[in-house]
Amino acid sequence: MKRKWSFAAMAGSAVLLLCLLFVFFLWDNDPYDYHSSGVNNDLDLSKDDELFAFSYFQQGERSIYTLPVTGGTPEPIPNDTGEDQHQPSFNEAGTELLYLSDSPEGISYLNKINLLTLETAELTSENLHIRDAVFSPDNEKVYFIGIEADDWFAEDMEAAGGFDVYEMDSGGGEPVKLTEEDSYVMSALSIAEDGSTLFYSTTGDEGEVVKAYSLDGADSYDQLVNRLPSGVYSPALSPNGREFAYTTASDLADGDMYQYELFVLNIENGESERLTEGSMNVDSPVFFHNSDYIAYMEQQNWPQDPPVFELKSMNLQTTEAHEIPMNTSGIEGTSLHPAQLLNGILDPIVFGTLYTILLVSAVVFTGLGGGNVYLPPVIGTVVSGLSAAAAFLIVNSSPWVMIAPVAFSIGISICTAAGFAAAFIWKKTHSKKKLRKVS
């Protein structure tokens, strides 16, 4: 009878484990589809330093919210279409906001909203896929990074066109292409306070680089961008034009995991100062306009996905940072998405528990049948060795993805150790019983 129960536990755990592995490898799991609550990293600050704007995830969809710089409850902007909203950008007066909406076909198009009247206007069609947009300081023009929709969906990326910077009237009209980058990686568009220069990130020979596009022909910021190191993300020029904030990978931390910290380049002396320490992943820095502060997003669960960001501000003189309080209780999702439940079941702890039950029940089943109880954990050792070898090969070829295979290998080893412990206890316990019978 006992052997039947151990067999049932062994077979049941094996079937469940195989089913979960089958789902794990075949399910196209995108956690963003059911990301129920979380601030996105697309941060902007009004020129009067009164309001932040960012997008917020609710059940996998993003909407634009504004928040007082002192914190409080985020306020949504209208979203009549129900489409994804993201990448907000204030105008000079803080009365209008540019943002992107995502069509069902996967095209991000440009919209504008008047924050006083709440009237919205669609500025671009679905012929262009937009990535970032900014107002000119005089509010007459809008600049954005875009790519032709046909090129965005092209299967042959090398033959297709890429992203470039465009200009159009802020009231709408025909966009005019300004650059000839034709790059598939292009982002972080910003504009100098005097309206003379656009800045954007693209790829160079040594990774991500920042480029300047002069709107007045003066090339006054070329020397600045040449001083920036490669591998720079989220570049942001200060309002006084004397500093440039950016994030970049710091020295490898414990466990060989990249940390993306916040730096500020002093244009006059060409020296960069590291402002954050141990933040793991900093994104979207934006300078305050009327005080010596900078705001940024800091990921709390790096390198997990979807990211969980906190909005922070820092005094540039003291480098003292604090979180901007945000009351999101009224906008957080409450219903549980079925995919979210399934994703919770596909947890390493669940896999580890089932594998441990499988090994321990196999030890009991083998022991009750008079076999070698160390055989199941020995087989587990072989599995551990194979997973460790696979983890070693993956880490050597792609250090960036080391976390998953290494953690899997360690987990298998722990479960195997539990199997050996069960075999040892069984052997010791039943050896004593045999000695009692003999005596």
Side-chain angles (χ1 to χ4, degrees), residues 97-288:
L97 196 69
L98 293 172
Y99 63 94
L100 304 182
S101 291
D102 290 351
S103 71
E105 293 74 29
I107 291 293
S108 294
Y109 59 94
L110 185 60
N111 297 274
K112 180 178 68 171
I113 182 170
N114 186 306
L115 296 176
L116 302 178
T117 65
L118 299 183
E119 293 181 358
T120 60
E122 185 177 314
L123 299 183
T124 62
S125 68
E126 294 186 20
N127 293 327
L128 283 172
H129 176 70
I130 315 300
R131 185 159 281 172
D132 287 306
V134 293
F135 281 103
S136 63
D138 61 8
N139 209 43
E140 294 294 322
K141 299 289 185 181
V142 167
Y143 303 96
F144 60 85
I145 293 174
I147 183 175
E148 295 284 346
D150 292 340
D151 292 328
W152 177 242
F153 289 120
E155 294 184 4
D156 187 356
M157 293 169 53
E158 294 185 1
F163 284 97
D164 275 294
V165 177
Y166 289 78
E167 174 191 79
M168 69 183 303
D169 291 337
S170 60
E174 189 66 26
V176 177
K177 187 163 70 170
L178 299 180
T179 64
E180 294 295 337
E181 289 287 347
D182 206 23
S183 171
Y184 211 74
V185 179
M186 200 170 174
S187 61
L189 182 68
S190 61
I191 189 168
E193 289 289 310
D194 59 9
S196 66
T197 307
L198 295 170
F199 303 95
Y200 56 90
S201 294
T202 186
T203 52
D205 295 334
E206 299 180 1
E208 291 272 345
V209 295
V210 178
K211 289 189 176 182
Y213 179 86
S214 175
L215 295 170
D216 61 2
D219 297 330
S220 52
Y221 288 97
D222 282 0
Q223 186 177 1
L224 161 64
V225 296
N226 290 335
R227 286 181 172 179
L228 288 168
S230 58
V232 165
Y233 300 90
S234 303
L237 183 68
S238 65
N240 60 22
R242 295 196 294 267
E243 296 170 309
F244 217 110
Y246 61 92
T247 67
T248 191
S250 62
D251 296 333
L252 288 178
D254 294 338
D256 292 336
M257 187 188 303
Y258 284 104
Q259 295 181 345
Y260 289 84
E261 304 282 3
L262 177 62
F263 293 79
V264 167
L265 171 72
N266 186 299
I267 296 174
E268 293 179 358
N269 59 28
E271 295 180 358
S272 288
E273 178 186 3
R274 180 173 172 172
L275 299 183
T276 57
E277 186 74 35
S279 295
M280 301 302 285
N281 186 30
V282 174
D283 210 338
S284 306
V286 55
F287 285 96
F288 280 67

Side-chain angles (χ1 to χ4, degrees), residues 288-321:
F288 280 67
H289 304 83
N290 306 302
S291 62
D292 213 8
Y293 277 78
I294 190 170
Y296 57 91
M297 293 291 191
E298 181 177 287
Q299 186 174 346
Q300 303 301 301
N301 62 337
W302 175 257
Q304 297 177 38
D305 218 21
V308 176
F309 287 103
E310 280 186 357
L311 175 56
K312 293 190 172 183
S313 67
M314 175 186 288
N315 186 316
L316 291 172
Q317 297 301 319
T318 65
T319 67
E320 181 180 350

